[in-house]
């Protein structure tokens, strides 16, 4: 496996060229798990954060509910972007920065991680010439810059007439994506306290929060790759088996979840989370089928049609910890090496967890399988003036850049 380290430039480079007052920026549109969005080489974007965010917003078409003037799909799951570069850090092959955009705001949030988009990082790097495969499978260690987390990712790279290539065809099926594809194996090396200070940021397996009109509600605040607030659906008068469509119409529930989210954000040491995309809110209930736990995940204001990768890892982790809200609802086998099936509106998500026998609250392994596919490669057009947005009188655009 050879890594290609291009020169970084603050000016348009790597095939970027002007056209009618616009810039054509190299772009690969990828599906990663149950999400999708444009991927960029870091060297093809401005180094200045404000200018970079302006380019991403223009590429996606935000803010606009339909994102009619960009590539966005008018939904948080299709308003995501990935930025990848080869790494010169020891023990790291690639660096991945995830950007969460929203259809209706001009915020580019690079604080949280996204395990679904992470699944497309290695295929993208090979497609974009950042890394050369050297075997029937290619494994790379990928550092997620958002949370300083490293994952080992493996994809299929068979030998073809033109050399080795990413094989997207296969028999692996994941709920929430039609058809089958080649597996993308992700082994998270250290996920506890990805955004918060620790796995249990409040120091407790459960906390009680007073909710207007309801009274005290038990919650579990946890972060094993994604900050979550876990609530028993029954405590909010719901079954936890409602469809995502019905939950998204439930204004009363969403208002209560937001009240809880704001309170728990402070409890978790995250401060005022009003304008942040975390913590995510997760309703849990006993399994409806053969899984271990039934979930309904809000991201954070829209109910996910399935569940995010790291939200599934974190919910599964909570289910294994005696004393949590999730554990009360879960049906689990005994042991420290567990396969936990997390049910969601579109099916289930299987997470493999390894717990430290000496300290069952310490997760030593989180592994799972996703799929990915290249949907389009070419150039996305953005207004040329945005390249130097930080030095123009263009409207100010905010970014929640996570400083590591």
């Amino acid at each position: 496996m050879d890594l290609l380290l291009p020169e970084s430039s603050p000016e348009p480079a790597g095939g970027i060229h002007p056209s009618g007052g616009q810039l054509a920026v190299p772009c690969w549109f990828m599906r990663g798990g149950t999400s999708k969005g444009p991927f960029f080489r870091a060297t093809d974007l401005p180094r200045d954060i404000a200018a970079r965010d302006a380019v991403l917003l223009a590429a996606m078409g935000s803010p606009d509910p339909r994102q009619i003037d960009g590539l966005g799909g008018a939904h948080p799951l299709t308003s995501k972007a990935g930025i990848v570069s080869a790494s010169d850090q020891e023990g790291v092959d690639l660096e991945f920065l995830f950007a969460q955009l929203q259809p209706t705001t001009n915020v580019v949030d690079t604080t949280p991680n996204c395990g679904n988009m992470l699944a497309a990082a290695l295929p993208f790097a090979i497609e974009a010439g950042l890394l050369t495969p050297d075997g029937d499978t290619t494994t790379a260690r990928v550092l997620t810059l958002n949370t300083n987390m490293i994952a080992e990712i493996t994809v299929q790279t068979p030998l073809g007439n033109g050399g080795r290539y990413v094989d997207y065809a296969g028999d692996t099926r994941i709920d929430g994506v039609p058809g089958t594809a080649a597996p993308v194996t992700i082994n998270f090396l250290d996920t506890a306290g990805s955004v918060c200070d620790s796995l249990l940021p409040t120091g407790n397996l459960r906390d009680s929060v007073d909710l207007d009109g309801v009274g005290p509600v038990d919650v579990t605040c946890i972060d094993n790759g994604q900050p979550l607030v876990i609530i028993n659906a029954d405590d909010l008068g719901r079954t936890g088996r409602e469809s995502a469509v019905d939950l998204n119409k439930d204004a009363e529930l969403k208002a209560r979840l937001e009240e809880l989210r704001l309170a728990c954000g402070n409890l978790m040491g995250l401060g005022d989370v009003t304008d942040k995309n975390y913590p995510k809110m997760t309703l849990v209930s006993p399994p409806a089928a053969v899984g271990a736990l039934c979930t309904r995940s809000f991201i954070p204001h829209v109910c996910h049609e399935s569940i995010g990768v790291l939200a599934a890892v974190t919910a599964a982790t909570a289910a294994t910890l005696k004393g949590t809200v999730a554990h009360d609802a879960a049906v689990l086998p005994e042991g420290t090496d567990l396969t936990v099936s997390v049910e969601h509106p579109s099916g289930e998500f299987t997470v493999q967890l390894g717990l430290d026998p000496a300290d069952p609250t310490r997760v030593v392994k989180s592994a799972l399988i996703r799929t990915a596919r290249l949907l389009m490669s070419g150039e996305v057009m953005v207004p040329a003036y945005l390249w130097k947005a930080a030095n123009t009188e263009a409207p100010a655009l905010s970014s929640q850049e996570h400083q590591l």
Side-chain angles (χ1 to χ4, degrees):
M1 179 177 67
D2 297 324
L3 295 173
L4 307 178
L5 294 167
E7 295 286 334
S8 179
S9 171
E11 300 298 330
I16 300 173
H17 58 85
S19 174
Q22 300 191 96
L23 289 178
V25 183
C27 170
W28 287 255
F29 205 83
M30 307 285 300
R31 176 183 64 79
T34 55
S35 297
K36 65 179 179 180
F39 273 69
F40 302 91
R41 292 177 296 219
T43 50
D44 289 334
L45 293 173
R47 282 199 301 239
D48 178 83
I49 292 173
R52 181 204 67 193
D53 288 357
V55 169
L56 293 177
L57 287 162
M60 200 66 74
S62 293
D64 173 60
R66 295 185 298 161
Q67 292 177 317
I68 197 67
D69 201 34
L71 301 176
H75 191 282
L77 295 181
T78 51
S79 298
K80 301 181 176 185
I83 303 170
V84 181
S85 61
S87 178
D88 58 5
Q89 296 190 48
E90 184 177 356
V92 178
D93 300 310
L94 299 169
E95 296 177 3
F96 167 68
L97 182 70
F98 165 66
Q100 176 70 67
L101 294 89
Q102 299 289 343
T104 58
T105 74
N106 67 348
V107 173
V108 178
D109 190 355
T110 58
T111 309
N113 198 357
C114 176
N116 276 305
M117 291 290 275
L118 176 63
L122 178 53
F124 162 77
I126 295 171
E127 299 283 6
L130 295 174
L131 182 149
T132 302
D134 57 5
D136 289 341
T137 62
T138 296
T139 299
R141 288 169 65 96
V142 181
L143 170 65
T144 301
L145 296 175
N146 308 67
T147 57
N148 208 29
M149 180 181 68
I150 294 178
E152 286 184 345
I153 303 177
T154 300
V155 298
Q156 310 292 312
T157 51
L159 183 63
N161 293 333
R164 296 197 177 275
Y165 64 96
V166 181
D167 190 359
Y168 297 105
D171 298 325
T172 298
R173 181 186 303 277
I174 61 173
D175 289 329
V177 178
T180 62
V184 177
T185 303
I186 304 176
N187 183 19
F188 294 106
L189 303 184
D190 183 14
T191 52
S194 66
V195 175
C196 302
D197 290 336
S198 62
L199 178 69
L200 297 169
T202 71
N204 304 316
L205 291 165
R206 68 171 64 203
D207 294 278
S208 181
V209 177
D210 283 323
L211 189 61
D212 286 345
V214 176
V217 175
D218 281 357
V219 299
T220 289
C221 300
I222 185 169
D223 177 5
N224 193 28
Q226 184 75 259
L228 294 189
V229 176
I230 297 177
I231 315 104
N232 192 309
D234 186 61
D235 287 346
L236 297 181
R238 306 303 187 271
T239 66
R241 299 180 185 180
E242 295 86 353
S243 70
V245 171
D246 287 342
L247 290 174
N248 281 323
K249 294 178 181 177
D250 193 337
E252 179 189 33
L253 173 66
K254 291 168 75 173
R256 287 177 174 174
L257 287 176
E258 182 64 4
E259 184 181 346
L260 279 172
R261 195 177 79 88
L262 295 177
C264 291
N266 285 315
L267 288 176
M268 299 169 78
L270 299 172
D272 182 2
V273 297
T274 303
D275 296 324
K276 296 179 180 178
N277 291 302
Y278 58 83
K280 314 293 188 188
M281 308 300 291
T282 305
L283 299 179
V284 297
S285 58
V290 294
L293 182 72
C294 187
T295 64
R296 294 296 185 265
S297 177
F298 287 77
I299 54 174
H301 306 118
V302 175
C303 183
H304 204 307
E305 293 176 7
S306 54
I307 190 171
V309 169
L310 292 165
V313 170
T314 302
T317 302
T320 69
L321 302 179
K322 293 181 180 179
T324 67
V325 172
H327 187 271
D328 288 353
V331 177
L332 291 170
E334 296 293 329
T336 54
D337 288 310
L338 302 174
T339 297
V340 182
S341 173
V342 179
E343 297 177 356
H344 55 73
S346 300
E348 69 87 34
F349 193 122
T350 298
V351 178
Q352 294 178 331
L353 291 176
L355 307 180
D356 184 347
D359 180 7
T361 66
R362 180 172 176 264
V363 179
V364 295
K365 181 185 76 173
S366 305
L368 47 90
I369 293 178
R370 295 276 82 189
T371 65
R373 188 166 78 86
L374 174 65
L375 304 178
M376 181 280 295
S377 64
E379 298 165 331
V380 60
M381 309 302 295
V382 299
Y385 78 86
L386 293 176
W387 200 266
K388 294 180 180 290
N391 300 317
T392 70
E393 295 181 359
L397 301 169
S398 59
S399 171
Q400 297 176 24
E401 186 73 6
H402 191 55
Q403 302 297 326
L404 298 175

